[in-house]
Amino acid sequence: MNKERKLIIAGNWKMNKTVAESLDLARSLKIDLASVKEVDIVVCPPFTSLSEVSKAILDSNIRLGAQNMSEHNAGAYTGEIAAGMLKEFSVRYVILGHSERRQYQKESDALIALRAAAVHAASLKPIVCVGETLAEREAGQMEKVLETQVRGSLAGLSKELMAETVVAYEPVWAIGTGKTATTAQAQEAHAFIRGVLSKMFDEAVARRVRIQYGGSVKPSNARELMSQADVDGALVGGASLEARSFADIIKNSI
Ligand code: PGA
């Protein structure tokens, strides 16, 4: 597939997989995806598996991501993980502001912006998630919600750092529900987000930012979604928990 930006496809394992299960999955992916050069491939295991997965994918084309990170470098923040700790395991990407964290941990756009700055300060790359709920979409609020989240979560980044930031558009109603946005809905939202980035930064920066789609991505719909002009990859939950389906999503996207 001939794309303006290199595709980036990341697996978000969420709160799944023991260390042994993570290793099985990582080892299978390393073999199944060894020949893929056209796509940036990322896996985001739970924190407890980062160490072993990091070793398992050494010398491979798979990069490691974390599912969250503190905005602080160290200190009395029980249960939090700092950038320096992630870097010990060669983590390169950090998912921030996933809708599950916005919902269950009440993460705000302002907090996500602080974390995005901390991720960049550590020379890691954030994957910043945005997306509307079904109620917001049905109330005609999609654009307003997306613009607020994009402006708030990415506030304060320089143009250079914004260009190195990945945005994930994940309509909340499509996550884990089996309901995928139609390709037209995905493209419309992605183009809208790119337009907001263009207003916030400039057009050249907006053209460089990779915007992933997330929400029930599977091998059967990956190709059509990735064929959209402004869809530059995927953030995959459920279908990334099994080597075959994650590898097929990537292969079907090339
Ligand atoms: P899903 O999750 O693929 O299981 O819908 C996507 C995500 O939440 O990142």
Side-chain angles (χ1 to χ4, degrees), residues 109-129:
D109 290 329
L111 176 74
I112 295 158
L114 284 177
R115 291 187 171 179
V119 167
H120 278 303
S123 302
L124 303 172
K125 290 189 203 309
I127 298 175
V128 176
C129 305

